[in-house]
PDB file of all heavy atoms in Angstrom:
ATOM      1  N   LEU A   8      -1.818 -31.884 154.564  1.00 98.00           N
ATOM      2  CA  LEU A   8      -2.592 -30.684 154.883  1.00 98.00           C
ATOM      3  C   LEU A   8      -3.526 -30.339 153.723  1.00 98.00           C
ATOM      4  O   LEU A   8      -3.087 -30.153 152.599  1.00 98.00           O
ATOM      5  CB  LEU A   8      -1.661 -29.507 155.167  1.00 98.00           C
ATOM      6  CG  LEU A   8      -0.605 -29.741 156.250  1.00 98.00           C
ATOM      7  CD1 LEU A   8       0.043 -28.426 156.658  1.00 98.00           C
ATOM      8  CD2 LEU A   8      -1.203 -30.427 157.476  1.00 98.00           C
ATOM      9  N   ALA A   9      -4.803 -30.278 154.047  1.00 98.00           N
ATOM     10  CA  ALA A   9      -5.796 -30.039 152.994  1.00 98.00           C
ATOM     11  C   ALA A   9      -7.001 -29.286 153.537  1.00 98.00           C
ATOM     12  O   ALA A   9      -8.128 -29.484 153.100  1.00 98.00           O
ATOM     13  CB  ALA A   9      -6.245 -31.367 152.390  1.00 98.00           C
ATOM     14  N   ALA A  10      -6.748 -28.401 154.509  1.00 96.00           N
ATOM     15  CA  ALA A  10      -7.879 -27.722 155.149  1.00 96.00           C
ATOM     16  C   ALA A  10      -8.185 -26.363 154.539  1.00 96.00           C
ATOM     17  O   ALA A  10      -9.240 -25.794 154.780  1.00 96.00           O
ATOM     18  CB  ALA A  10      -7.607 -27.573 156.648  1.00 96.00           C
ATOM     19  N   GLY A  11      -7.248 -25.852 153.743  1.00 90.00           N
ATOM     20  CA  GLY A  11      -7.408 -24.490 153.221  1.00 90.00           C
ATOM     21  C   GLY A  11      -8.565 -24.383 152.251  1.00 90.00           C
ATOM     22  O   GLY A  11      -9.045 -25.370 151.696  1.00 90.00           O
ATOM     23  N   GLN A  12      -9.005 -23.140 152.019  1.00 86.00           N
ATOM     24  CA  GLN A  12     -10.182 -22.932 151.186  1.00 86.00           C
ATOM     25  C   GLN A  12      -9.862 -22.924 149.692  1.00 86.00           C
ATOM     26  O   GLN A  12     -10.662 -23.379 148.883  1.00 86.00           O
ATOM     27  CB  GLN A  12     -10.822 -21.603 151.572  1.00 86.00           C
ATOM     28  CG  GLN A  12     -12.149 -21.388 150.862  1.00 86.00           C
ATOM     29  CD  GLN A  12     -12.923 -20.222 151.440  1.00 86.00           C
ATOM     30  OE1 GLN A  12     -12.367 -19.372 152.129  1.00 86.00           O
ATOM     31  NE2 GLN A  12     -14.198 -20.189 151.181  1.00 86.00           N
ATOM     32  N   LYS A  22     -10.559 -26.933 146.839  1.00 97.00           N
ATOM     33  CA  LYS A  22      -9.439 -26.902 145.893  1.00 97.00           C
ATOM     34  C   LYS A  22      -8.812 -28.268 145.655  1.00 97.00           C
ATOM     35  O   LYS A  22      -8.532 -28.643 144.511  1.00 97.00           O
ATOM     36  CB  LYS A  22      -8.371 -25.925 146.397  1.00 97.00           C
ATOM     37  CG  LYS A  22      -7.151 -25.892 145.503  1.00 97.00           C
ATOM     38  CD  LYS A  22      -6.196 -24.779 145.844  1.00 97.00           C
ATOM     39  CE  LYS A  22      -5.378 -25.106 147.054  1.00 97.00           C
ATOM     40  NZ  LYS A  22      -4.341 -24.079 147.283  1.00 97.00           N
ATOM     41  N   VAL A  51      -5.643 -33.736 157.006  1.00 98.00           N
ATOM     42  CA  VAL A  51      -6.230 -32.641 157.771  1.00 98.00           C
ATOM     43  C   VAL A  51      -7.170 -31.870 156.858  1.00 98.00           C
ATOM     44  O   VAL A  51      -6.751 -31.306 155.850  1.00 98.00           O
ATOM     45  CB  VAL A  51      -5.139 -31.701 158.326  1.00 98.00           C
ATOM     46  CG1 VAL A  51      -5.765 -30.581 159.158  1.00 98.00           C
ATOM     47  CG2 VAL A  51      -4.125 -32.497 159.158  1.00 98.00           C
ATOM     48  N   GLN A  73      -9.702 -29.801 161.107  1.00 98.00           N
ATOM     49  CA  GLN A  73      -9.162 -28.538 161.622  1.00 98.00           C
ATOM     50  C   GLN A  73     -10.260 -27.512 161.377  1.00 98.00           C
ATOM     51  O   GLN A  73     -10.453 -27.056 160.254  1.00 98.00           O
ATOM     52  CB  GLN A  73      -7.876 -28.158 160.861  1.00 98.00           C
ATOM     53  CG  GLN A  73      -7.192 -26.947 161.446  1.00 98.00           C
ATOM     54  CD  GLN A  73      -6.154 -26.340 160.503  1.00 98.00           C
ATOM     55  OE1 GLN A  73      -6.201 -26.497 159.285  1.00 98.00           O
ATOM     56  NE2 GLN A  73      -5.195 -25.623 161.074  1.00 98.00           N
ATOM     57  N   GLU A  75     -10.728 -24.414 162.422  1.00 96.00           N
ATOM     58  CA  GLU A  75     -10.271 -23.068 162.072  1.00 96.00           C
ATOM     59  C   GLU A  75      -8.882 -23.170 161.486  1.00 96.00           C
ATOM     60  O   GLU A  75      -8.032 -23.864 162.069  1.00 96.00           O
ATOM     61  CB  GLU A  75     -10.181 -22.221 163.350  1.00 96.00           C
ATOM     62  CG  GLU A  75     -11.346 -21.301 163.581  1.00 96.00           C
ATOM     63  CD  GLU A  75     -11.027 -20.395 164.765  1.00 96.00           C
ATOM     64  OE1 GLU A  75     -10.747 -20.937 165.854  1.00 96.00           O
ATOM     65  OE2 GLU A  75     -11.021 -19.179 164.592  1.00 96.00           O
ATOM     66  N   GLN A  76      -8.645 -22.494 160.374  1.00 95.00           N
ATOM     67  CA  GLN A  76      -7.337 -22.600 159.730  1.00 95.00           C
ATOM     68  C   GLN A  76      -6.377 -21.573 160.326  1.00 95.00           C
ATOM     69  O   GLN A  76      -6.285 -20.447 159.868  1.00 95.00           O
ATOM     70  CB  GLN A  76      -7.472 -22.418 158.217  1.00 95.00           C
ATOM     71  CG  GLN A  76      -7.933 -23.682 157.503  1.00 95.00           C
ATOM     72  CD  GLN A  76      -9.370 -24.080 157.812  1.00 95.00           C
ATOM     73  OE1 GLN A  76     -10.280 -23.307 157.555  1.00 95.00           O
ATOM     74  NE2 GLN A  76      -9.579 -25.259 158.382  1.00 95.00           N
ATOM     75  N   LEU A  77      -5.678 -22.014 161.359  1.00 97.00           N
ATOM     76  CA  LEU A  77      -4.809 -21.084 162.091  1.00 97.00           C
ATOM     77  C   LEU A  77      -3.352 -21.185 161.663  1.00 97.00           C
ATOM     78  O   LEU A  77      -2.479 -20.621 162.314  1.00 97.00           O
ATOM     79  CB  LEU A  77      -4.934 -21.325 163.600  1.00 97.00           C
ATOM     80  CG  LEU A  77      -6.357 -21.193 164.162  1.00 97.00           C
ATOM     81  CD1 LEU A  77      -6.382 -21.510 165.656  1.00 97.00           C
ATOM     82  CD2 LEU A  77      -6.909 -19.788 163.904  1.00 97.00           C
ATOM     83  N   GLY A  78      -3.086 -21.928 160.595  1.00 97.00           N
ATOM     84  CA  GLY A  78      -1.719 -22.011 160.087  1.00 97.00           C
ATOM     85  C   GLY A  78      -1.261 -23.451 159.934  1.00 97.00           C
ATOM     86  O   GLY A  78      -1.871 -24.381 160.470  1.00 97.00           O
ATOM     87  N   THR A  79      -0.154 -23.606 159.175  1.00 98.00           N
ATOM     88  CA  THR A  79       0.323 -24.958 158.869  1.00 98.00           C
ATOM     89  C   THR A  79       0.797 -25.712 160.117  1.00 98.00           C
ATOM     90  O   THR A  79       0.621 -26.927 160.218  1.00 98.00           O
ATOM     91  CB  THR A  79       1.456 -24.907 157.832  1.00 98.00           C
ATOM     92  OG1 THR A  79       2.419 -23.922 158.227  1.00 98.00           O
ATOM     93  CG2 THR A  79       0.932 -24.532 156.451  1.00 98.00           C
ATOM     94  N   HIS A  81      -0.392 -25.298 163.198  1.00 98.00           N
ATOM     95  CA  HIS A  81      -1.626 -25.672 163.901  1.00 98.00           C
ATOM     96  C   HIS A  81      -2.276 -26.882 163.221  1.00 98.00           C
ATOM     97  O   HIS A  81      -2.782 -27.788 163.888  1.00 98.00           O
ATOM     98  CB  HIS A  81      -2.577 -24.464 163.900  1.00 98.00           C
ATOM     99  CG  HIS A  81      -3.895 -24.721 164.557  1.00 98.00           C
ATOM    100  ND1 HIS A  81      -5.025 -25.047 163.833  1.00 98.00           N
ATOM    101  CD2 HIS A  81      -4.266 -24.720 165.864  1.00 98.00           C
ATOM    102  CE1 HIS A  81      -6.038 -25.226 164.671  1.00 98.00           C
ATOM    103  NE2 HIS A  81      -5.608 -25.029 165.917  1.00 98.00           N
ATOM    104  N   ALA A  82      -2.223 -26.897 161.890  1.00 98.00           N
ATOM    105  CA  ALA A  82      -2.828 -28.005 161.132  1.00 98.00           C
ATOM    106  C   ALA A  82      -2.138 -29.331 161.466  1.00 98.00           C
ATOM    107  O   ALA A  82      -2.799 -30.331 161.759  1.00 98.00           O
ATOM    108  CB  ALA A  82      -2.757 -27.728 159.631  1.00 98.00           C
ATOM    109  N   TYR A 100       1.267 -31.891 151.213  1.00 98.00           N
ATOM    110  CA  TYR A 100       0.226 -30.896 150.984  1.00 98.00           C
ATOM    111  C   TYR A 100      -0.761 -31.391 149.941  1.00 98.00           C
ATOM    112  O   TYR A 100      -0.352 -31.888 148.889  1.00 98.00           O
ATOM    113  CB  TYR A 100       0.864 -29.572 150.531  1.00 98.00           C
ATOM    114  CG  TYR A 100       1.734 -29.011 151.638  1.00 98.00           C
ATOM    115  CD1 TYR A 100       3.009 -29.525 151.855  1.00 98.00           C
ATOM    116  CD2 TYR A 100       1.254 -28.035 152.511  1.00 98.00           C
ATOM    117  CE1 TYR A 100       3.791 -29.079 152.902  1.00 98.00           C
ATOM    118  CE2 TYR A 100       2.026 -27.577 153.564  1.00 98.00           C
ATOM    119  CZ  TYR A 100       3.290 -28.105 153.759  1.00 98.00           C
ATOM    120  OH  TYR A 100       4.049 -27.669 154.808  1.00 98.00           O
ATOM    121  N   GLY A 101      -2.030 -31.244 150.261  1.00 98.00           N
ATOM    122  CA  GLY A 101      -3.073 -31.740 149.361  1.00 98.00           C
ATOM    123  C   GLY A 101      -3.123 -31.037 148.021  1.00 98.00           C
ATOM    124  O   GLY A 101      -3.730 -31.538 147.076  1.00 98.00           O
ATOM    125  N   ASP A 102      -2.474 -29.890 147.902  1.00 97.00           N
ATOM    126  CA  ASP A 102      -2.499 -29.160 146.631  1.00 97.00           C
ATOM    127  C   ASP A 102      -1.155 -29.194 145.911  1.00 97.00           C
ATOM    128  O   ASP A 102      -0.902 -28.400 145.021  1.00 97.00           O
ATOM    129  CB  ASP A 102      -2.958 -27.706 146.848  1.00 97.00           C
ATOM    130  CG  ASP A 102      -2.063 -26.952 147.817  1.00 97.00           C
ATOM    131  OD1 ASP A 102      -1.136 -27.566 148.392  1.00 97.00           O
ATOM    132  OD2 ASP A 102      -2.285 -25.743 148.013  1.00 97.00           O
ATOM    133  N   GLY A 135       6.617 -15.499 146.935  1.00 93.00           N
ATOM    134  CA  GLY A 135       5.529 -16.257 147.548  1.00 93.00           C
ATOM    135  C   GLY A 135       6.008 -17.397 148.432  1.00 93.00           C
ATOM    136  O   GLY A 135       5.264 -17.891 149.279  1.00 93.00           O
ATOM    137  N   TYR A 136       7.236 -17.801 148.234  1.00 96.00           N
ATOM    138  CA  TYR A 136       7.757 -18.937 149.006  1.00 96.00           C
ATOM    139  C   TYR A 136       8.447 -18.471 150.284  1.00 96.00           C
ATOM    140  O   TYR A 136       8.997 -17.362 150.354  1.00 96.00           O
ATOM    141  CB  TYR A 136       8.801 -19.697 148.177  1.00 96.00           C
ATOM    142  CG  TYR A 136       8.209 -20.613 147.140  1.00 96.00           C
ATOM    143  CD1 TYR A 136       7.721 -20.120 145.939  1.00 96.00           C
ATOM    144  CD2 TYR A 136       8.139 -21.994 147.370  1.00 96.00           C
ATOM    145  CE1 TYR A 136       7.177 -20.968 144.979  1.00 96.00           C
ATOM    146  CE2 TYR A 136       7.596 -22.840 146.406  1.00 96.00           C
ATOM    147  CZ  TYR A 136       7.126 -22.326 145.226  1.00 96.00           C
ATOM    148  OH  TYR A 136       6.590 -23.160 144.279  1.00 96.00           O
ATOM    149  N   GLY A 137       8.441 -19.334 151.299  1.00 97.00           N
ATOM    150  CA  GLY A 137       9.310 -19.128 152.456  1.00 97.00           C
ATOM    151  C   GLY A 137      10.744 -19.324 151.986  1.00 97.00           C
ATOM    152  O   GLY A 137      11.005 -20.159 151.114  1.00 97.00           O
ATOM    153  N   ILE A 150      13.519 -20.802 158.424  1.00 98.00           N
ATOM    154  CA  ILE A 150      12.765 -20.442 157.216  1.00 98.00           C
ATOM    155  C   ILE A 150      12.072 -19.135 157.553  1.00 98.00           C
ATOM    156  O   ILE A 150      11.474 -18.990 158.634  1.00 98.00           O
ATOM    157  CB  ILE A 150      11.715 -21.505 156.858  1.00 98.00           C
ATOM    158  CG1 ILE A 150      12.399 -22.825 156.464  1.00 98.00           C
ATOM    159  CG2 ILE A 150      10.827 -21.017 155.713  1.00 98.00           C
ATOM    160  CD1 ILE A 150      11.441 -23.973 156.227  1.00 98.00           C
ATOM    161  N   GLU A 152       9.183 -16.564 156.190  1.00 97.00           N
ATOM    162  CA  GLU A 152       8.087 -16.419 155.221  1.00 97.00           C
ATOM    163  C   GLU A 152       8.262 -15.121 154.452  1.00 97.00           C
ATOM    164  O   GLU A 152       8.750 -14.125 155.002  1.00 97.00           O
ATOM    165  CB  GLU A 152       6.741 -16.422 155.953  1.00 97.00           C
ATOM    166  CG  GLU A 152       6.361 -17.770 156.527  1.00 97.00           C
ATOM    167  CD  GLU A 152       6.333 -18.863 155.464  1.00 97.00           C
ATOM    168  OE1 GLU A 152       5.538 -18.766 154.523  1.00 97.00           O
ATOM    169  OE2 GLU A 152       7.139 -19.813 155.576  1.00 97.00           O
ATOM    170  N   ASN A 167      11.238 -22.824 150.328  1.00 98.00           N
ATOM    171  CA  ASN A 167      10.714 -23.939 151.104  1.00 98.00           C
ATOM    172  C   ASN A 167       9.544 -24.569 150.352  1.00 98.00           C
ATOM    173  O   ASN A 167       8.599 -23.887 149.980  1.00 98.00           O
ATOM    174  CB  ASN A 167      10.229 -23.412 152.461  1.00 98.00           C
ATOM    175  CG  ASN A 167       9.494 -24.469 153.256  1.00 98.00           C
ATOM    176  OD1 ASN A 167       9.836 -25.652 153.195  1.00 98.00           O
ATOM    177  ND2 ASN A 167       8.490 -24.045 154.010  1.00 98.00           N
ATOM    178  N   THR A 168       9.618 -25.863 150.132  1.00 98.00           N
ATOM    179  CA  THR A 168       8.490 -26.542 149.480  1.00 98.00           C
ATOM    180  C   THR A 168       7.369 -26.795 150.483  1.00 98.00           C
ATOM    181  O   THR A 168       6.244 -27.076 150.088  1.00 98.00           O
ATOM    182  CB  THR A 168       8.907 -27.917 148.922  1.00 98.00           C
ATOM    183  OG1 THR A 168       9.237 -28.767 150.032  1.00 98.00           O
ATOM    184  CG2 THR A 168      10.092 -27.798 147.983  1.00 98.00           C
ATOM    185  N   GLY A 169       7.696 -26.747 151.778  1.00 97.00           N
ATOM    186  CA  GLY A 169       6.724 -27.066 152.818  1.00 97.00           C
ATOM    187  C   GLY A 169       6.825 -28.526 153.258  1.00 97.00           C
ATOM    188  O   GLY A 169       6.430 -28.892 154.359  1.00 97.00           O
ATOM    189  N   GLN A 191       1.269 -12.810 159.285  1.00 96.00           N
ATOM    190  CA  GLN A 191      -0.029 -13.377 158.925  1.00 96.00           C
ATOM    191  C   GLN A 191      -0.862 -13.816 160.132  1.00 96.00           C
ATOM    192  O   GLN A 191      -1.977 -14.313 159.965  1.00 96.00           O
ATOM    193  CB  GLN A 191       0.171 -14.574 157.977  1.00 96.00           C
ATOM    194  CG  GLN A 191       0.913 -14.181 156.697  1.00 96.00           C
ATOM    195  CD  GLN A 191       1.028 -15.338 155.717  1.00 96.00           C
ATOM    196  OE1 GLN A 191       0.081 -15.621 154.993  1.00 96.00           O
ATOM    197  NE2 GLN A 191       2.168 -15.995 155.699  1.00 96.00           N
ATOM    198  N   GLU A 193      -0.381 -16.361 162.003  1.00 97.00           N
ATOM    199  CA  GLU A 193      -0.615 -17.809 161.912  1.00 97.00           C
ATOM    200  C   GLU A 193       0.450 -18.579 162.679  1.00 97.00           C
ATOM    201  O   GLU A 193       1.552 -18.081 162.917  1.00 97.00           O
ATOM    202  CB  GLU A 193      -0.530 -18.254 160.436  1.00 97.00           C
ATOM    203  CG  GLU A 193      -1.703 -17.819 159.587  1.00 97.00           C
ATOM    204  CD  GLU A 193      -1.574 -18.301 158.147  1.00 97.00           C
ATOM    205  OE1 GLU A 193      -0.626 -19.050 157.841  1.00 97.00           O
ATOM    206  OE2 GLU A 193      -2.442 -17.912 157.343  1.00 97.00           O
ATOM    207  N   TYR A 195       3.040 -20.965 162.198  1.00 98.00           N
ATOM    208  CA  TYR A 195       3.787 -21.456 161.047  1.00 98.00           C
ATOM    209  C   TYR A 195       4.509 -22.765 161.374  1.00 98.00           C
ATOM    210  O   TYR A 195       5.314 -22.806 162.312  1.00 98.00           O
ATOM    211  CB  TYR A 195       4.903 -20.469 160.648  1.00 98.00           C
ATOM    212  CG  TYR A 195       4.502 -19.125 160.083  1.00 98.00           C
ATOM    213  CD1 TYR A 195       5.441 -18.080 160.086  1.00 98.00           C
ATOM    214  CD2 TYR A 195       3.253 -18.897 159.508  1.00 98.00           C
ATOM    215  CE1 TYR A 195       5.148 -16.845 159.539  1.00 98.00           C
ATOM    216  CE2 TYR A 195       2.953 -17.645 158.959  1.00 98.00           C
ATOM    217  CZ  TYR A 195       3.900 -16.621 158.984  1.00 98.00           C
ATOM    218  OH  TYR A 195       3.614 -15.395 158.447  1.00 98.00           O
ATOM    219  N   LEU A 196       4.305 -23.781 160.576  1.00 98.00           N
ATOM    220  CA  LEU A 196       5.099 -25.005 160.711  1.00 98.00           C
ATOM    221  C   LEU A 196       6.585 -24.703 160.476  1.00 98.00           C
ATOM    222  O   LEU A 196       7.473 -25.297 161.086  1.00 98.00           O
ATOM    223  CB  LEU A 196       4.618 -26.045 159.688  1.00 98.00           C
ATOM    224  CG  LEU A 196       5.375 -27.377 159.675  1.00 98.00           C
ATOM    225  CD1 LEU A 196       5.206 -28.126 160.996  1.00 98.00           C
ATOM    226  CD2 LEU A 196       4.896 -28.253 158.514  1.00 98.00           C
ATOM    227  N   THR A 197       6.821 -23.721 159.601  1.00 98.00           N
ATOM    228  CA  THR A 197       8.193 -23.381 159.211  1.00 98.00           C
ATOM    229  C   THR A 197       9.040 -22.869 160.377  1.00 98.00           C
ATOM    230  O   THR A 197      10.264 -22.921 160.326  1.00 98.00           O
ATOM    231  CB  THR A 197       8.149 -22.319 158.106  1.00 98.00           C
ATOM    232  OG1 THR A 197       7.185 -21.323 158.473  1.00 98.00           O
ATOM    233  CG2 THR A 197       7.727 -22.937 156.791  1.00 98.00           C
ATOM    234  N   ASN A 225      -2.641 -22.963 143.364  1.00 95.00           N
ATOM    235  CA  ASN A 225      -3.504 -22.007 144.055  1.00 95.00           C
ATOM    236  C   ASN A 225      -4.524 -21.357 143.141  1.00 95.00           C
ATOM    237  O   ASN A 225      -5.460 -20.731 143.618  1.00 95.00           O
ATOM    238  CB  ASN A 225      -2.643 -20.902 144.693  1.00 95.00           C
ATOM    239  CG  ASN A 225      -1.681 -21.487 145.705  1.00 95.00           C
ATOM    240  OD1 ASN A 225      -2.089 -22.145 146.654  1.00 95.00           O
ATOM    241  ND2 ASN A 225      -0.394 -21.289 145.482  1.00 95.00           N
TER     242      ASN A 225
HETATM  243  C1  UD1 B   1       3.654 -22.504 152.875  1.00 63.70           C
HETATM  244  C2  UD1 B   1       4.938 -22.362 153.682  1.00 63.70           C
HETATM  245  C3  UD1 B   1       6.007 -21.682 152.823  1.00 63.70           C
HETATM  246  C4  UD1 B   1       6.231 -22.478 151.569  1.00 63.70           C
HETATM  247  C5  UD1 B   1       4.916 -22.659 150.811  1.00 63.70           C
HETATM  248  C6  UD1 B   1       5.098 -23.586 149.651  1.00 63.70           C
HETATM  249  C7  UD1 B   1       4.232 -22.082 156.010  1.00 63.70           C
HETATM  250  C8  UD1 B   1       3.990 -21.123 157.075  1.00 63.70           C
HETATM  251  N1  UD1 B   1       4.660 -21.572 154.864  1.00 63.70           N
HETATM  252  O1  UD1 B   1       3.222 -21.182 152.606  1.00 63.70           O
HETATM  253  O2  UD1 B   1       7.217 -21.600 153.549  1.00 63.70           O
HETATM  254  O3  UD1 B   1       7.164 -21.812 150.738  1.00 63.70           O
HETATM  255  O4  UD1 B   1       3.917 -23.255 151.688  1.00 63.70           O
HETATM  256  O5  UD1 B   1       3.935 -23.635 148.877  1.00 63.70           O
HETATM  257  O6  UD1 B   1       4.056 -23.271 156.189  1.00 63.70           O
HETATM  258  N2  UD1 B   1      -3.279 -25.416 155.476  1.00 63.70           N
HETATM  259  C9  UD1 B   1      -4.099 -26.080 156.352  1.00 63.70           C
HETATM  260  N3  UD1 B   1      -4.465 -25.485 157.518  1.00 63.70           N
HETATM  261  C10 UD1 B   1      -4.056 -24.225 157.833  1.00 63.70           C
HETATM  262  C11 UD1 B   1      -3.216 -23.549 156.946  1.00 63.70           C
HETATM  263  C12 UD1 B   1      -2.832 -24.170 155.768  1.00 63.70           C
HETATM  264  O7  UD1 B   1      -4.502 -27.223 156.091  1.00 63.70           O
HETATM  265  O8  UD1 B   1      -4.426 -23.750 158.916  1.00 63.70           O
HETATM  266  C13 UD1 B   1      -2.898 -26.062 154.229  1.00 63.70           C
HETATM  267  C14 UD1 B   1      -3.443 -25.304 153.031  1.00 63.70           C
HETATM  268  O9  UD1 B   1      -4.685 -25.856 152.635  1.00 63.70           O
HETATM  269  C15 UD1 B   1      -2.368 -25.546 151.975  1.00 63.70           C
HETATM  270  C16 UD1 B   1      -1.096 -25.746 152.772  1.00 63.70           C
HETATM  271  O10 UD1 B   1      -1.499 -26.021 154.109  1.00 63.70           O
HETATM  272  O11 UD1 B   1      -2.616 -26.729 151.249  1.00 63.70           O
HETATM  273  C17 UD1 B   1      -0.171 -24.533 152.739  1.00 63.70           C
HETATM  274  O12 UD1 B   1      -0.815 -23.438 153.352  1.00 63.70           O
HETATM  275  P1  UD1 B   1      -0.709 -21.967 152.792  1.00 63.70           P
HETATM  276  O13 UD1 B   1      -1.414 -21.074 153.699  1.00 63.70           O
HETATM  277  O14 UD1 B   1      -1.065 -21.953 151.370  1.00 63.70           O
HETATM  278  O15 UD1 B   1       0.863 -21.713 152.949  1.00 63.70           O
HETATM  279  P2  UD1 B   1       1.740 -20.814 152.047  1.00 63.70           P
HETATM  280  O16 UD1 B   1       1.471 -19.405 152.401  1.00 63.70           O
HETATM  281  O17 UD1 B   1       1.655 -21.209 150.646  1.00 63.70           O
END
Side-chain angles (χ1 to χ4, degrees):
L8 305 193
Q12 187 168 18
K22 177 170 77 173
V51 182
Q73 186 196 24
E75 260 188 303
Q76 279 68 60
L77 302 178
T79 48
H81 178 262
Y100 296 79
D102 58 356
Y136 281 78
I150 294 174
E152 290 304 298
N167 172 35
T168 66
Q191 301 184 81
E193 288 181 5
Y195 292 161
L196 178 64
T197 45
N225 299 303

